[in-house]
């Protein structure tokens, strides 16, 4: 069976130049990835990983030395949040602090344990869902539901937990209905993966060509920005204003998606069914053998499938007086299939009804980028697009992904504009390091976990985030990475930690569909979530409704789910502090945390205070902190539960709780 060359794990990186004419507008990122020459450094003993070599060389050139290492407690909290989105337990901290092995050995054991946790996929899956602009509803004028979007969400989580090779991960999301599959279950996974291209925010009141071209534009935008870091959609109405992408190139890509059928459960109002806005014949049918095997093996109530997903989902229960507009069918999912093959005529100024010349689909002429493989006359070209995205001599795909991984571990990308590798973006602060990592990523079989492990075992990751006056004067923005960047936790780990502290967090997945449409049609239709914003599941499993996000989301910079957002905004506003002081959910979780502290065996209040610090801040308190805590508790009135709840909430309201150092 012929397979995509780019899907082979043992692939060597092509270092040959791409045949393309010189172009003054060509971005830095279009240059071929070349294995950089290894620099020479003075302090070889400091090095833990190849990445350290490039960082230390830049530091030594400026006469700087990196910070000392962070403490084991700080490192454990940092790694636990970075890899699982949850804090370490007191028992895990004690085990790490008492590990008799060397620092390198003890640290490697921690990293391997966290990478193997099923919580890893939930943490890193959310990073990818931001890029995929994931949502459970359409948004815009008719906020119709995507009742089957959760299948794609769960696919992402499971793929990351299984360390699916990134080139396969890319190919499945573009052409999962076409890539080779060995089993019905593998075929089902790949079909669900194509949900990536069905999640756009669409105006369902648009008719005909406008709706079609808007959907294609969203598919081009999410594909090129997610995998290539290019804003190709800027060429919809005219040649790209800053990058060497022509309008002809845009419509050559548009032909690929015009030749594809999108099965999202949504259609424009011109084709709406009698049930309002959910058209259940407008969904992909999954392999019958895979569905039958899953359901046959899970007849027992509460049984779970691979990755913990409930396969025998119960029918959702509607609110009183509100009928559900659809019936859940386990064999259906959002996805893609081949459609009527056709090229897409160029639209003058983007007007869907003003057509011009018709470029052949997939024939890109972007200076500096390789050509797509030839597309058969009977094919849409998605298979060839997937191959092009993951072939070793495409200079963008590996660079963009390793930059995203670096950003999530170190706070900022080596190229800070993680979604824009074009001329409007910033060049990397250490180009040699970026190419070193991209080379390793491809030669290492495109393994995300392998790259994350290497970076976390590097000396650079272990640095303290403390101040360094000399380094601050030379490099105030920490471009040279002389310390670890302190990072504000996002909404998800903050909320999940509150639930964990309060003893409420559930680590299973919510069963079945979590969203539905209720009553009325068109603009009068209502969309709601079955799960309350305080439901005790991990935050990644709460539905994301466009135009109706949960109130807490805006407080902690959750991105607009209609936007492709590889890096979230980070603000510091009064509402965040007030949330921890006044929000009833925080108070309830603090009370639950206080009850757990009081229920543990302890010889005195000092030991209870230490337990509270361990659970909330993942460290032991200093002597003066114990004295201050005793003074606070002694000055409070009320029951033990009330006094300790106030103390726990005070810890939650501290800046230290909101930041990873």
């Amino acid at each position: 069976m012929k397979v995509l060359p780019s899907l082979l794990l043992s692939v060597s990186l092509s270092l040959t130049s791409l045949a393309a004419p010189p172009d003054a507008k060509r971005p830095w990122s279009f240059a071929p990835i070349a294995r950089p020459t290894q620099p020479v450094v003075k302090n070889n003993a400091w090095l833990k990983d190849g990445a350290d070599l490039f960082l230390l060389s830049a530091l030594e050139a400026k006469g700087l030395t990196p910070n000392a290492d962070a403490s084991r407690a700080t490192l454990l909290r940092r790694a636990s949040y970075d890899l699982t989105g949850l804090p370490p337990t007191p028992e895990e901290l004690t085990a790490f602090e008492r590990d008799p092995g060397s620092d390198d050995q003890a640290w490697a054991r921690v990293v391997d344990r966290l990478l193997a946790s099923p919580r890893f996929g939930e943490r890193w899956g959310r990073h990818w869902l931001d890029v995929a602009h994931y949502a459970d509803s359409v948004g815009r004028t008719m906020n119709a539901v995507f009742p089957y979007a959760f299948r794609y969400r769960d696919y992402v989580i499971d793929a990351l937990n299984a360390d699916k090779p990134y080139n396969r991960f890319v190919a499945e999301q573009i052409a999962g209905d076409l890539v080779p599959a060995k089993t019905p279950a593998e075929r089902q996974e790949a079909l669900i993966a194509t949900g990536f291209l069905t999640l756009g925010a669409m105006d369902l009141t648009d008719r005909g060509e406008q709706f079609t071209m808007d959907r294609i534009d969203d598919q081009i935008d999410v594909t090129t920005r997610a995998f290539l870091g290019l804003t190709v959609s800027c060429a919809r109405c005219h040649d790209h204003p800053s990058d060497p992408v022509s309008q002809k190139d845009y419509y050559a890509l548009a032909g690929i998606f015009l030749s594809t059928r999108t099965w999202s459960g949504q259609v424009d109002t011109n084709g709406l069914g009698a049930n309002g806005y959910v058209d259940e014949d407008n969904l992909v049918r999954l392999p019958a053998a895979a569905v039958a095997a899953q359901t046959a093996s899970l007849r027992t109530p509460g049984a779970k499938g691979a990755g913990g997903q409930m396969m025998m989902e119960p029918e959702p229960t509607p609110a009183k007086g509100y009928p559900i507009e659809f019936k859940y069918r386990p064999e259906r999912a959002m996805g893609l299939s081949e459609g009527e093959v056709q090229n897409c005529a160029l639209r003058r100024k983007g007007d869907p009804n003003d057509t011009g010349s018709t470029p052949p689909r997939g024939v890109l002429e972007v200076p500096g980028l390789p050509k797509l493989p030839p597309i058969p006359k009977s094919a849409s070209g998605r298979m060839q697009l997937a191959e092009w995205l993951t072939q070793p001599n495409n200079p963008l795909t590996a660079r963009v992904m390793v930059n995203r991984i670096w950003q999530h571990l170190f706070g900022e990308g080596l190229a800070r504009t993680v979604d824009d590798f074009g001329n409007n973006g910033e060049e990397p602060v250490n180009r040699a390091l970026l190419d070193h990592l991209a080379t390793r990523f491809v030669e290492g079989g495109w393994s995300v976990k392998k790259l994350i492990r290497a970076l976390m075992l590097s000396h650079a990751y272990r640095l303290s985030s403390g101040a360094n006056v000399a380094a601050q004067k030379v490099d105030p923005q920490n471009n040279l990475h002389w310390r670890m960047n302190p990072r504000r936790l996002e909404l998800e780990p903050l909320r999940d930690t509150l639930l964990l502290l309060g003893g409420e967090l559930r680590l299973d997945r919510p069963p079945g569909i979590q969203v539905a449409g209720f009553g009325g049609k068109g603009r009068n239709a209502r969309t709601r979530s079955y799960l309350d914003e305080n439901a005790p599941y991990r935050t990644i499993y709460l539905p994301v409704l466009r135009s109706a996000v949960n109130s807490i989301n805006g407080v902690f910079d959750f991105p607009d789910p209609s936007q492709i957002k590889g890096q979230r905004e980070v603000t510091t506003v009064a509402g965040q502090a007030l949330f921890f002081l006044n929000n009833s959910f925080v108070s309830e979780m603090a009370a639950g945390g206080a009850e757990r502290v009081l229920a543990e065996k302890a010889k005195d209040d000092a030991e209870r205070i230490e337990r509270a610090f361990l659970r909330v801040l993942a460290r032991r308190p200093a002597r003066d902190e114990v004295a201050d805590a005793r003074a606070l508790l002694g000055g409070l009135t009320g029951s033990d539960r009330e006094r300790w709840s106030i103390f726990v909430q005070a810890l939650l309201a501290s800046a230290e709780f909101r930041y990873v150092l």
Side-chain angles (χ1 to χ4, degrees), residues 331-350:
E331 76 281 5
R332 299 298 176 91
M334 299 164 68
L336 304 178
S337 67
E338 293 287 80
E340 179 185 350
V341 173
Q342 53 191 308
N343 295 321
C344 186
L346 183 147
R347 265 58 171 185
R348 297 184 182 92
K349 297 183 180 181

Side-chain angles (χ1 to χ4, degrees), residues 36 50-55 402 406 414 430-438 455:
D52 292 327
L53 184 63
F54 295 91
L55 291 170
V402 299
W406 181 276
L414 290 167
N430 195 322
R431 169 76 174 276
L433 175 56
L434 183 62
D435 278 7
H436 166 77
L437 295 175
L455 290 176

Side-chain angles (χ1 to χ4, degrees), residues 344-555:
C344 186
L346 183 147
R347 265 58 171 185
R348 297 184 182 92
K349 297 183 180 181
D351 184 341
N353 299 308
D354 187 358
T355 58
S357 61
T358 305
R361 66 190 178 284
V363 180
L364 301 183
E365 298 178 348
V366 181
L369 296 186
K371 306 293 185 184
L372 257 73
I375 298 174
K377 291 183 179 180
S378 60
S380 68
R382 282 184 295 114
M383 187 72 161
Q384 290 69 38
L385 176 59
E387 182 177 351
W388 177 73
L389 287 169
T390 55
Q391 63 190 44
N393 68 336
N394 187 318
L396 290 168
T397 308
R399 276 190 181 127
V400 169
M401 187 54 180
V402 299
N403 191 59
R404 294 192 190 281
I405 291 171
W406 181 276
Q407 173 219 325
H408 291 307
L409 293 177
F410 292 93
E412 290 183 315
L414 290 167
R416 287 196 166 95
T417 49
V418 297
D419 295 322
D420 192 349
F421 271 41
N423 285 316
N424 286 335
E426 294 185 29
E427 294 194 22
V429 294
N430 195 322
R431 169 76 174 276
L433 175 56
L434 183 62
D435 278 7
H436 166 77
L437 295 175
T439 303
R440 288 175 63 175
F441 186 48
V442 176
E443 292 182 345
W446 300 81
S447 168
V448 170
K449 283 191 176 183
K450 186 183 294 184
L451 181 61
I452 290 174
R453 184 181 190 273
L455 290 176
M456 294 188 69
L457 295 183
S458 72
H459 211 150
Y461 184 86
R462 306 187 211 184
L463 297 179
S464 160
S465 61
N468 180 323
V469 176
Q472 189 78 31
K473 288 181 179 179
V474 176
D475 181 27
Q477 291 185 309
N478 196 28
N479 288 333
L480 301 177
H481 201 77
W482 49 267
R483 69 167 181 166
M484 174 57 82
N485 291 308
R487 288 164 285 149
R488 216 276 316 282
L489 286 171
E490 309 100 306
L491 163 70
E492 293 87 349
L494 287 172
R495 180 185 176 277
D496 293 350
T497 301
L498 288 172
L499 287 167
L500 182 67
L501 177 69
E504 298 292 330
L505 183 63
R506 292 184 58 172
L507 294 178
D508 57 329
R509 291 178 182 171
I513 294 174
Q514 290 100 53
V515 292
F518 291 85
K521 295 182 181 180
R523 295 177 185 269
N524 296 320
R526 296 181 58 187
T527 298
R528 73 180 291 266
S529 163
Y530 288 121
L531 296 179
D532 181 81
E533 64 182 48
N534 291 336
Y537 295 99
R538 292 206 71 177
T539 309
I540 191 172
Y541 295 120
L542 297 188
V544 177
L545 301 180
R546 290 183 175 130
S547 307
V549 295
N550 293 337
S551 58
I552 187 178
N553 290 27
V555 177

Side-chain angles (χ1 to χ4, degrees), residues 458-661:
S458 72
H459 211 150
Y461 184 86
R462 306 187 211 184
L463 297 179
S464 160
S465 61
N468 180 323
V469 176
Q472 189 78 31
K473 288 181 179 179
V474 176
D475 181 27
Q477 291 185 309
N478 196 28
N479 288 333
L480 301 177
H481 201 77
W482 49 267
R483 69 167 181 166
M484 174 57 82
N485 291 308
R487 288 164 285 149
R488 216 276 316 282
L489 286 171
E490 309 100 306
L491 163 70
E492 293 87 349
L494 287 172
R495 180 185 176 277
D496 293 350
T497 301
L498 288 172
L499 287 167
L500 182 67
L501 177 69
E504 298 292 330
L505 183 63
R506 292 184 58 172
L507 294 178
D508 57 329
R509 291 178 182 171
I513 294 174
Q514 290 100 53
V515 292
F518 291 85
K521 295 182 181 180
R523 295 177 185 269
N524 296 320
R526 296 181 58 187
T527 298
R528 73 180 291 266
S529 163
Y530 288 121
L531 296 179
D532 181 81
E533 64 182 48
N534 291 336
Y537 295 99
R538 292 206 71 177
T539 309
I540 191 172
Y541 295 120
L542 297 188
V544 177
L545 301 180
R546 290 183 175 130
S547 307
V549 295
N550 293 337
S551 58
I552 187 178
N553 290 27
V555 177
F556 292 101
D557 305 307
F558 187 84
D560 180 342
S562 297
Q563 295 182 354
I564 298 160
K565 203 71 172 177
Q567 184 165 18
R568 295 186 182 185
E569 304 297 331
V570 179
T571 63
T572 302
V573 295
Q576 294 163 1
L578 293 172
F579 172 81
F580 284 103
L581 289 173
N582 301 323
N583 189 274
S584 60
F585 172 65
V586 177
S587 299
E588 291 170 7
M589 295 304 104
E595 289 175 354
R596 296 177 73 192
V597 169
L598 291 170
E600 293 177 347
K601 292 182 179 179
K603 61 183 179 182
D604 54 20
D605 279 355
E607 191 170 322
R608 292 188 184 92
I609 289 167
E610 180 177 282
R611 284 285 178 172
F613 266 79
L614 285 170
R615 292 195 178 279
V616 178
L617 303 179
R619 67 169 176 86
R620 291 179 171 81
R623 187 173 299 176
D624 60 337
E625 290 175 318
V626 174
D628 290 343
R630 277 182 148 168
L632 171 64
L633 289 163
L636 296 173
T637 60
S639 66
D640 282 351
R641 181 181 185 275
E642 291 168 337
R643 292 187 304 111
W644 282 86
S645 294
I646 292 173
F647 169 59
V648 170
Q649 190 163 354
L651 293 179
L652 292 172
S654 67
E656 184 178 350
F657 175 69
R658 300 196 295 274
Y659 280 81
V660 168
L661 302 178

